[in-house]
Amino acid sequence: MAPLLEVRDLVKYYPVYQRGIISKRVVGKVHAVDHVNFSIDKGEAMGLVGESGCGKTTTGKVLLNLEEPTSGEVFFNGEETTSVFSKGPRKEVLKLRRSMQMVFQNPYASLDPRMTVFDIISEPFSIHKHIPKDQWKEKVYSLLTLVGLEAYHAERYPHEFSGGQRQRICIARALAVDPEFIIADEPVSSLDVSIRAQILNLVIDIQEKLGMSYLYISHDLSSVRQITQKVLVMYLGEIVESASTTELFDKPIHPYTRALLSAVPIPDPKKKRNVIILSGEVPSSINPPSGCRFHPRCQYATSKCKDEKPSFIEATAGHMVSCHYYTDFI
């Protein structure tokens, strides 16, 4: 069966300018997303993890063409999307927008404070015109109920809600156009622990009820383990490891993944952990290291890691990794 979403050799560079008195010139580029490949099946929830600044959010924005890719291709239901977003007729663009939605990281900034909840959720109806106006109220109320709010909340403004309630409103807005695919960009990072659990359970319930696909972007590995079936690990703009969630957490191969997982808190003060402390700082994405990008911080690195870029290969069945010495960790 063909995947719902397929990403081929996706690249996003941002130019770095040096400004003069009357002109400016390009002196470099930020390698935000560098030759990324992956696919998501229908009904699948995939996690994208990595340190802050590694390119996770940029990847999500490029998939929806909120940021135009430098190169590469994105296919949705077998259709190449980049050309549609940039040159396609409005009807086709709106069709793609209805199918692919995003829940942003900050629920405080992603809701218009001058609009009521009813106006926020019903705004997609007026843009896409996929629901008759006499059905708007019923649809808004059903969406609020789906995300755990009440119908009377529709007449309130965003400042009258808590952070968790605002994120529920953001999810309801994303669901307003009946999408097949949602990108959730760290939707619980700004919420306290008890509210995080509620939002994560909500995401799981919605996926089970509606059968949607997710790309769940986060640096919170515990939440990724809870709600995804497959995980991509990103470092400095590149995917360094990919596997099913169970396989990745039980048998990580790449040294960077092993270090990330070693830092996950364990709710048992008596249990000892072997935390891997990475040396040095994250290299500049303007001038990334040669060879393996992780080699300046890797305790197993050799001259080969510095000189030769490792291929992204299948280490075991369904488990992909980019490391010269992956066999040492299987």
Side-chain angles (χ1 to χ4, degrees):
M1 184 175 64
L4 177 69
L5 179 81
E6 186 176 5
V7 179
R8 299 179 186 174
D9 207 30
L10 190 64
V11 174
K12 178 60 181 176
Y13 295 155
Y14 293 98
V16 178
Y17 296 102
Q18 183 181 65
R19 298 184 181 273
I21 297 176
I22 59 174
S23 64
K24 61 181 181 180
R25 63 189 181 93
V26 177
V27 295
K29 53 190 177 183
V30 177
H31 296 68
V33 180
D34 220 347
H35 302 283
V36 165
N37 296 272
F38 64 89
S39 63
I40 300 177
D41 294 330
K42 292 183 179 181
E44 182 178 54
M46 176 177 283
L48 179 59
V49 304
E51 295 170 294
S52 297
C54 71
K56 305 187 300 296
T57 295
T58 302
T59 299
K61 288 182 177 180
V62 172
L63 293 182
L64 298 187
N65 210 63
L66 301 180
E67 296 279 359
E68 189 173 343
T70 303
S71 64
E73 296 175 306
V74 179
F75 292 85
F76 187 79
N77 274 329
E79 179 182 14
E80 203 279 318
T81 65
T82 304
S83 59
V84 175
F85 281 129
S86 59
K87 302 176 183 177
R90 177 173 171 79
K91 182 179 180 181
E92 292 300 315
V93 173
L94 289 178
K95 181 182 177 182
L96 270 178
R97 289 287 181 217
R98 284 198 300 272
S99 300
M100 308 166 72
Q101 286 289 302
M102 189 166 189
V103 176
F104 294 94
Q105 179 175 353
N106 186 353
Y108 294 90
S110 56
L111 297 175
D112 190 331
R114 298 166 297 179
M115 298 173 68
T116 65
V117 170
F118 182 88
D119 293 335
I120 289 170
I121 298 177
S122 63
E123 186 177 27
F125 305 159
S126 63
I127 295 173
H128 295 278
K129 297 179 172 58
H130 62 296
I131 295 178
K133 195 164 186 177
D134 59 358
Q135 297 179 18
W136 285 13
K137 182 177 290 187
E138 180 184 352
K139 182 67 172 178
V140 170
Y141 290 170
S142 66
L143 287 169
L144 288 174
T145 302
L146 180 64
V147 299
L149 296 174
E150 301 294 337
Y152 64 82
H153 287 137
E155 305 308 319
R156 296 184 179 181
Y157 289 86
H159 74 270
E160 300 178 72
F161 295 92
S162 67
Q165 289 175 318
R166 292 188 194 196
Q167 198 61 285
R168 290 173 186 268
I169 296 168
C170 292
I171 294 172
R173 179 178 59 184
L175 295 174
V177 290
D178 300 319
E180 295 180 70
F181 174 64
I182 286 182
I183 296 174
D185 182 15
E186 305 207 34
V188 297
S189 64
S190 61
L191 308 177
D192 63 52
V193 175
S194 60
I195 303 301
R196 286 186 186 191
Q198 295 176 21
I199 298 298
L200 291 175
N201 289 332
L202 173 62
V203 171
I204 294 171
D205 290 343
I206 289 174
Q207 186 192 18
E208 291 177 350
K209 290 178 181 178
L210 305 181
M212 288 188 303
S213 301
Y214 284 95
L215 178 64
Y216 181 75
I217 299 171
S218 182
H219 58 258
D220 181 0
L221 296 175
S222 298
S223 64
V224 170
R225 187 171 195 173
Q226 181 181 349
I227 71 170
T228 65
Q229 289 92 50
K230 191 174 180 180
V231 182
L232 304 172
V233 182
M234 178 173 268
Y235 181 79
L236 213 62
E238 295 183 339
I239 302 297
V240 297
E241 190 164 1
S242 169
S244 68
T245 304
T246 302
E247 176 80 10
L248 189 93
F249 277 82
D250 291 346
K251 299 176 182 178
I253 296 176
H254 197 282
Y256 176 63
T257 308
R258 293 164 63 86
L260 284 180
L261 294 178
S262 75
V264 176
I266 297 175
D268 184 352
K270 297 181 180 180
K271 189 172 182 179
K272 293 183 178 180
R273 294 186 300 145
N274 182 24
V275 180
I276 301 173
I277 306 297
L278 297 178
S279 61
E281 298 292 331
V282 179
S284 170
S285 56
I286 298 176
N287 185 27
S290 60
C292 175
R293 292 191 175 178
F294 185 61
H295 85 260
R297 305 173 70 194
C298 181
Q299 60 180 315
Y300 308 103
T302 65
S303 58
K304 182 179 181 180
C305 302
K306 182 179 180 180
D307 298 333
E308 298 179 25
K309 186 178 183 64
S311 300
F312 194 60
I313 61 176
E314 190 172 37
T316 59
H319 196 147
M320 307 292 292
V321 69
S322 177
C323 180
H324 289 302
Y325 302 106
Y326 69 90
T327 54
D328 296 342
F329 307 107
I330 295 178

PDB file of all heavy atoms in Angstrom, residues 36-66:
ATOM      1  N   VAL A  36      16.472  15.069   3.699  1.00  0.00           N
ATOM      2  CA  VAL A  36      15.668  14.227   4.586  1.00  0.00           C
ATOM      3  C   VAL A  36      14.717  13.361   3.759  1.00  0.00           C
ATOM      4  O   VAL A  36      14.084  13.844   2.815  1.00  0.00           O
ATOM      5  CB  VAL A  36      14.872  15.101   5.579  1.00  0.00           C
ATOM      6  CG1 VAL A  36      13.763  14.304   6.245  1.00  0.00           C
ATOM      7  CG2 VAL A  36      15.806  15.689   6.623  1.00  0.00           C
ATOM      8  N   ASN A  37      14.629  12.079   4.127  1.00  0.00           N
ATOM      9  CA  ASN A  37      13.738  11.132   3.458  1.00  0.00           C
ATOM     10  C   ASN A  37      12.961  10.335   4.512  1.00  0.00           C
ATOM     11  O   ASN A  37      13.567   9.808   5.444  1.00  0.00           O
ATOM     12  CB  ASN A  37      14.530  10.147   2.589  1.00  0.00           C
ATOM     13  CG  ASN A  37      15.253  10.823   1.444  1.00  0.00           C
ATOM     14  OD1 ASN A  37      14.712  11.012   0.371  1.00  0.00           O
ATOM     15  ND2 ASN A  37      16.516  11.194   1.670  1.00  0.00           N
ATOM     16  N   PHE A  38      11.646  10.240   4.346  1.00  0.00           N
ATOM     17  CA  PHE A  38      10.834   9.353   5.187  1.00  0.00           C
ATOM     18  C   PHE A  38       9.442   9.268   4.595  1.00  0.00           C
ATOM     19  O   PHE A  38       9.075  10.008   3.671  1.00  0.00           O
ATOM     20  CB  PHE A  38      10.776   9.832   6.645  1.00  0.00           C
ATOM     21  CG  PHE A  38      10.110  11.165   6.858  1.00  0.00           C
ATOM     22  CD1 PHE A  38       8.737  11.259   7.072  1.00  0.00           C
ATOM     23  CD2 PHE A  38      10.856  12.335   6.865  1.00  0.00           C
ATOM     24  CE1 PHE A  38       8.118  12.477   7.279  1.00  0.00           C
ATOM     25  CE2 PHE A  38      10.250  13.568   7.062  1.00  0.00           C
ATOM     26  CZ  PHE A  38       8.884  13.636   7.272  1.00  0.00           C
ATOM     27  N   SER A  39       8.632   8.369   5.128  1.00  0.00           N
ATOM     28  CA  SER A  39       7.246   8.218   4.691  1.00  0.00           C
ATOM     29  C   SER A  39       6.370   7.875   5.887  1.00  0.00           C
ATOM     30  O   SER A  39       6.839   7.303   6.872  1.00  0.00           O
ATOM     31  CB  SER A  39       7.118   7.143   3.606  1.00  0.00           C
ATOM     32  OG  SER A  39       7.493   5.876   4.117  1.00  0.00           O
ATOM     33  N   ILE A  40       5.097   8.258   5.794  1.00  0.00           N
ATOM     34  CA  ILE A  40       4.125   7.991   6.845  1.00  0.00           C
ATOM     35  C   ILE A  40       2.926   7.298   6.212  1.00  0.00           C
ATOM     36  O   ILE A  40       2.370   7.777   5.216  1.00  0.00           O
ATOM     37  CB  ILE A  40       3.680   9.292   7.538  1.00  0.00           C
ATOM     38  CG1 ILE A  40       4.891   9.991   8.179  1.00  0.00           C
ATOM     39  CG2 ILE A  40       2.614   9.008   8.596  1.00  0.00           C
ATOM     40  CD1 ILE A  40       4.559  11.322   8.826  1.00  0.00           C
ATOM     41  N   ASP A  41       2.528   6.165   6.780  1.00  0.00           N
ATOM     42  CA  ASP A  41       1.389   5.423   6.259  1.00  0.00           C
ATOM     43  C   ASP A  41       0.074   5.990   6.783  1.00  0.00           C
ATOM     44  O   ASP A  41       0.046   6.757   7.762  1.00  0.00           O
ATOM     45  CB  ASP A  41       1.505   3.945   6.659  1.00  0.00           C
ATOM     46  CG  ASP A  41       2.690   3.253   6.005  1.00  0.00           C
ATOM     47  OD1 ASP A  41       3.056   3.654   4.881  1.00  0.00           O
ATOM     48  OD2 ASP A  41       3.253   2.321   6.625  1.00  0.00           O
ATOM     49  N   LYS A  42      -1.010   5.607   6.163  1.00  0.00           N
ATOM     50  CA  LYS A  42      -2.324   6.030   6.614  1.00  0.00           C
ATOM     51  C   LYS A  42      -2.609   5.450   7.994  1.00  0.00           C
ATOM     52  O   LYS A  42      -2.389   4.276   8.247  1.00  0.00           O
ATOM     53  CB  LYS A  42      -3.389   5.578   5.614  1.00  0.00           C
ATOM     54  CG  LYS A  42      -3.299   6.289   4.270  1.00  0.00           C
ATOM     55  CD  LYS A  42      -4.410   5.858   3.326  1.00  0.00           C
ATOM     56  CE  LYS A  42      -4.300   6.606   1.999  1.00  0.00           C
ATOM     57  NZ  LYS A  42      -5.367   6.235   1.045  1.00  0.00           N
ATOM     58  N   GLY A  43      -3.068   6.311   8.890  1.00  0.00           N
ATOM     59  CA  GLY A  43      -3.378   5.891  10.250  1.00  0.00           C
ATOM     60  C   GLY A  43      -2.178   5.763  11.166  1.00  0.00           C
ATOM     61  O   GLY A  43      -2.314   5.341  12.312  1.00  0.00           O
ATOM     62  N   GLU A  44      -0.983   6.137  10.695  1.00  0.00           N
ATOM     63  CA  GLU A  44       0.243   5.987  11.480  1.00  0.00           C
ATOM     64  C   GLU A  44       0.599   7.283  12.192  1.00  0.00           C
ATOM     65  O   GLU A  44       0.447   8.374  11.644  1.00  0.00           O
ATOM     66  CB  GLU A  44       1.396   5.572  10.565  1.00  0.00           C
ATOM     67  CG  GLU A  44       2.720   5.344  11.297  1.00  0.00           C
ATOM     68  CD  GLU A  44       3.823   4.894  10.356  1.00  0.00           C
ATOM     69  OE1 GLU A  44       4.077   5.582   9.350  1.00  0.00           O
ATOM     70  OE2 GLU A  44       4.434   3.852  10.633  1.00  0.00           O
ATOM     71  N   ALA A  45       1.086   7.165  13.430  1.00  0.00           N
ATOM     72  CA  ALA A  45       1.599   8.294  14.187  1.00  0.00           C
ATOM     73  C   ALA A  45       3.117   8.168  14.254  1.00  0.00           C
ATOM     74  O   ALA A  45       3.636   7.200  14.811  1.00  0.00           O
ATOM     75  CB  ALA A  45       1.004   8.333  15.584  1.00  0.00           C
ATOM     76  N   MET A  46       3.825   9.143  13.683  1.00  0.00           N
ATOM     77  CA  MET A  46       5.286   9.108  13.654  1.00  0.00           C
ATOM     78  C   MET A  46       5.838  10.240  14.513  1.00  0.00           C
ATOM     79  O   MET A  46       5.338  11.369  14.485  1.00  0.00           O
ATOM     80  CB  MET A  46       5.796   9.246  12.213  1.00  0.00           C
ATOM     81  CG  MET A  46       7.309   9.316  12.097  1.00  0.00           C
ATOM     82  SD  MET A  46       7.876   9.386  10.384  1.00  0.00           S
ATOM     83  CE  MET A  46       7.667   7.656   9.927  1.00  0.00           C
ATOM     84  N   GLY A  47       6.874   9.941  15.291  1.00  0.00           N
ATOM     85  CA  GLY A  47       7.533  10.945  16.107  1.00  0.00           C
ATOM     86  C   GLY A  47       8.790  11.463  15.427  1.00  0.00           C
ATOM     87  O   GLY A  47       9.483  10.719  14.734  1.00  0.00           O
ATOM     88  N   LEU A  48       9.076  12.738  15.616  1.00  0.00           N
ATOM     89  CA  LEU A  48      10.304  13.363  15.128  1.00  0.00           C
ATOM     90  C   LEU A  48      10.973  14.019  16.320  1.00  0.00           C
ATOM     91  O   LEU A  48      10.436  14.974  16.897  1.00  0.00           O
ATOM     92  CB  LEU A  48       9.989  14.391  14.040  1.00  0.00           C
ATOM     93  CG  LEU A  48      11.182  15.155  13.435  1.00  0.00           C
ATOM     94  CD1 LEU A  48      12.181  14.198  12.801  1.00  0.00           C
ATOM     95  CD2 LEU A  48      10.711  16.169  12.415  1.00  0.00           C
ATOM     96  N   VAL A  49      12.136  13.496  16.727  1.00  0.00           N
ATOM     97  CA  VAL A  49      12.778  13.950  17.962  1.00  0.00           C
ATOM     98  C   VAL A  49      14.184  14.446  17.681  1.00  0.00           C
ATOM     99  O   VAL A  49      14.786  14.140  16.656  1.00  0.00           O
ATOM    100  CB  VAL A  49      12.815  12.823  19.020  1.00  0.00           C
ATOM    101  CG1 VAL A  49      11.421  12.287  19.292  1.00  0.00           C
ATOM    102  CG2 VAL A  49      13.742  11.690  18.589  1.00  0.00           C
ATOM    103  N   GLY A  50      14.705  15.205  18.643  1.00  0.00           N
ATOM    104  CA  GLY A  50      16.048  15.739  18.538  1.00  0.00           C
ATOM    105  C   GLY A  50      16.180  16.969  19.421  1.00  0.00           C
ATOM    106  O   GLY A  50      15.191  17.481  19.959  1.00  0.00           O
ATOM    107  N   GLU A  51      17.404  17.456  19.576  1.00  0.00           N
ATOM    108  CA  GLU A  51      17.652  18.643  20.384  1.00  0.00           C
ATOM    109  C   GLU A  51      17.001  19.876  19.765  1.00  0.00           C
ATOM    110  O   GLU A  51      16.703  19.910  18.570  1.00  0.00           O
ATOM    111  CB  GLU A  51      19.159  18.883  20.521  1.00  0.00           C
ATOM    112  CG  GLU A  51      19.894  17.806  21.295  1.00  0.00           C
ATOM    113  CD  GLU A  51      21.401  17.959  21.193  1.00  0.00           C
ATOM    114  OE1 GLU A  51      21.946  17.800  20.092  1.00  0.00           O
ATOM    115  OE2 GLU A  51      22.031  18.246  22.222  1.00  0.00           O
ATOM    116  N   SER A  52      16.819  20.903  20.575  1.00  0.00           N
ATOM    117  CA  SER A  52      16.304  22.169  20.066  1.00  0.00           C
ATOM    118  C   SER A  52      17.249  22.723  19.002  1.00  0.00           C
ATOM    119  O   SER A  52      18.470  22.714  19.187  1.00  0.00           O
ATOM    120  CB  SER A  52      16.162  23.188  21.203  1.00  0.00           C
ATOM    121  OG  SER A  52      15.219  22.747  22.149  1.00  0.00           O
ATOM    122  N   GLY A  53      16.675  23.186  17.892  1.00  0.00           N
ATOM    123  CA  GLY A  53      17.482  23.752  16.825  1.00  0.00           C
ATOM    124  C   GLY A  53      17.965  22.768  15.796  1.00  0.00           C
ATOM    125  O   GLY A  53      18.720  23.140  14.886  1.00  0.00           O
ATOM    126  N   CYS A  54      17.527  21.504  15.891  1.00  0.00           N
ATOM    127  CA  CYS A  54      18.022  20.492  14.949  1.00  0.00           C
ATOM    128  C   CYS A  54      17.254  20.493  13.628  1.00  0.00           C
ATOM    129  O   CYS A  54      17.663  19.816  12.679  1.00  0.00           O
ATOM    130  CB  CYS A  54      17.980  19.103  15.575  1.00  0.00           C
ATOM    131  SG  CYS A  54      16.320  18.440  15.791  1.00  0.00           S
ATOM    132  N   GLY A  55      16.134  21.239  13.540  1.00  0.00           N
ATOM    133  CA  GLY A  55      15.393  21.319  12.287  1.00  0.00           C
ATOM    134  C   GLY A  55      14.028  20.656  12.309  1.00  0.00           C
ATOM    135  O   GLY A  55      13.389  20.535  11.258  1.00  0.00           O
ATOM    136  N   LYS A  56      13.545  20.259  13.483  1.00  0.00           N
ATOM    137  CA  LYS A  56      12.266  19.544  13.562  1.00  0.00           C
ATOM    138  C   LYS A  56      11.099  20.423  13.093  1.00  0.00           C
ATOM    139  O   LYS A  56      10.305  20.021  12.242  1.00  0.00           O
ATOM    140  CB  LYS A  56      12.016  19.072  15.001  1.00  0.00           C
ATOM    141  CG  LYS A  56      13.101  18.222  15.618  1.00  0.00           C
ATOM    142  CD  LYS A  56      12.700  17.674  16.967  1.00  0.00           C
ATOM    143  CE  LYS A  56      12.379  18.732  18.004  1.00  0.00           C
ATOM    144  NZ  LYS A  56      13.550  19.583  18.355  1.00  0.00           N
ATOM    145  N   THR A  57      10.980  21.607  13.683  1.00  0.00           N
ATOM    146  CA  THR A  57       9.874  22.487  13.336  1.00  0.00           C
ATOM    147  C   THR A  57       9.954  22.939  11.882  1.00  0.00           C
ATOM    148  O   THR A  57       8.924  23.005  11.191  1.00  0.00           O
ATOM    149  CB  THR A  57       9.852  23.712  14.265  1.00  0.00           C
ATOM    150  OG1 THR A  57       9.589  23.278  15.604  1.00  0.00           O
ATOM    151  CG2 THR A  57       8.769  24.706  13.855  1.00  0.00           C
ATOM    152  N   THR A  58      11.154  23.225  11.413  1.00  0.00           N
ATOM    153  CA  THR A  58      11.319  23.626  10.015  1.00  0.00           C
ATOM    154  C   THR A  58      10.845  22.514   9.082  1.00  0.00           C
ATOM    155  O   THR A  58      10.198  22.780   8.061  1.00  0.00           O
ATOM    156  CB  THR A  58      12.788  23.982   9.713  1.00  0.00           C
ATOM    157  OG1 THR A  58      13.202  25.026  10.584  1.00  0.00           O
ATOM    158  CG2 THR A  58      12.957  24.438   8.276  1.00  0.00           C
ATOM    159  N   THR A  59      11.161  21.274   9.433  1.00  0.00           N
ATOM    160  CA  THR A  59      10.689  20.144   8.626  1.00  0.00           C
ATOM    161  C   THR A  59       9.173  20.150   8.526  1.00  0.00           C
ATOM    162  O   THR A  59       8.600  19.990   7.438  1.00  0.00           O
ATOM    163  CB  THR A  59      11.174  18.813   9.231  1.00  0.00           C
ATOM    164  OG1 THR A  59      12.601  18.782   9.254  1.00  0.00           O
ATOM    165  CG2 THR A  59      10.661  17.631   8.416  1.00  0.00           C
ATOM    166  N   GLY A  60       8.500  20.338   9.661  1.00  0.00           N
ATOM    167  CA  GLY A  60       7.040  20.367   9.659  1.00  0.00           C
ATOM    168  C   GLY A  60       6.487  21.498   8.805  1.00  0.00           C
ATOM    169  O   GLY A  60       5.533  21.321   8.040  1.00  0.00           O
ATOM    170  N   LYS A  61       7.087  22.672   8.913  1.00  0.00           N
ATOM    171  CA  LYS A  61       6.612  23.821   8.141  1.00  0.00           C
ATOM    172  C   LYS A  61       6.838  23.625   6.643  1.00  0.00           C
ATOM    173  O   LYS A  61       6.002  24.020   5.821  1.00  0.00           O
ATOM    174  CB  LYS A  61       7.318  25.092   8.613  1.00  0.00           C
ATOM    175  CG  LYS A  61       6.864  25.565   9.989  1.00  0.00           C
ATOM    176  CD  LYS A  61       7.561  26.849  10.386  1.00  0.00           C
ATOM    177  CE  LYS A  61       7.048  27.372  11.727  1.00  0.00           C
ATOM    178  NZ  LYS A  61       7.720  28.629  12.126  1.00  0.00           N
ATOM    179  N   VAL A  62       7.957  23.015   6.289  1.00  0.00           N
ATOM    180  CA  VAL A  62       8.235  22.782   4.864  1.00  0.00           C
ATOM    181  C   VAL A  62       7.252  21.765   4.283  1.00  0.00           C
ATOM    182  O   VAL A  62       6.829  21.887   3.136  1.00  0.00           O
ATOM    183  CB  VAL A  62       9.693  22.321   4.667  1.00  0.00           C
ATOM    184  CG1 VAL A  62       9.942  21.881   3.228  1.00  0.00           C
ATOM    185  CG2 VAL A  62      10.657  23.451   5.020  1.00  0.00           C
ATOM    186  N   LEU A  63       6.871  20.757   5.078  1.00  0.00           N
ATOM    187  CA  LEU A  63       5.910  19.766   4.591  1.00  0.00           C
ATOM    188  C   LEU A  63       4.593  20.415   4.189  1.00  0.00           C
ATOM    189  O   LEU A  63       3.948  19.995   3.228  1.00  0.00           O
ATOM    190  CB  LEU A  63       5.657  18.703   5.664  1.00  0.00           C
ATOM    191  CG  LEU A  63       6.806  17.775   6.027  1.00  0.00           C
ATOM    192  CD1 LEU A  63       6.351  16.761   7.069  1.00  0.00           C
ATOM    193  CD2 LEU A  63       7.352  17.059   4.812  1.00  0.00           C
ATOM    194  N   LEU A  64       4.193  21.458   4.929  1.00  0.00           N
ATOM    195  CA  LEU A  64       2.940  22.147   4.637  1.00  0.00           C
ATOM    196  C   LEU A  64       3.157  23.378   3.759  1.00  0.00           C
ATOM    197  O   LEU A  64       2.221  24.144   3.524  1.00  0.00           O
ATOM    198  CB  LEU A  64       2.254  22.564   5.936  1.00  0.00           C
ATOM    199  CG  LEU A  64       1.833  21.453   6.885  1.00  0.00           C
ATOM    200  CD1 LEU A  64       1.012  22.014   8.034  1.00  0.00           C
ATOM    201  CD2 LEU A  64       1.037  20.389   6.157  1.00  0.00           C
ATOM    202  N   ASN A  65       4.396  23.575   3.323  1.00  0.00           N
ATOM    203  CA  ASN A  65       4.759  24.713   2.477  1.00  0.00           C
ATOM    204  C   ASN A  65       4.531  26.058   3.178  1.00  0.00           C
ATOM    205  O   ASN A  65       4.331  27.085   2.541  1.00  0.00           O
ATOM    206  CB  ASN A  65       4.000  24.695   1.145  1.00  0.00           C
ATOM    207  CG  ASN A  65       4.807  25.325   0.016  1.00  0.00           C
ATOM    208  OD1 ASN A  65       5.867  24.826  -0.346  1.00  0.00           O
ATOM    209  ND2 ASN A  65       4.324  26.415  -0.539  1.00  0.00           N
ATOM    210  N   LEU A  66       4.552  26.041   4.523  1.00  0.00           N
ATOM    211  CA  LEU A  66       4.590  27.293   5.265  1.00  0.00           C
ATOM    212  C   LEU A  66       5.966  27.924   5.111  1.00  0.00           C
ATOM    213  O   LEU A  66       6.133  29.135   5.282  1.00  0.00           O
ATOM    214  CB  LEU A  66       4.269  27.039   6.743  1.00  0.00           C
ATOM    215  CG  LEU A  66       2.909  26.400   7.021  1.00  0.00           C
ATOM    216  CD1 LEU A  66       2.708  26.190   8.507  1.00  0.00           C
ATOM    217  CD2 LEU A  66       1.775  27.231   6.435  1.00  0.00           C
TER     218      LEU A  66
END
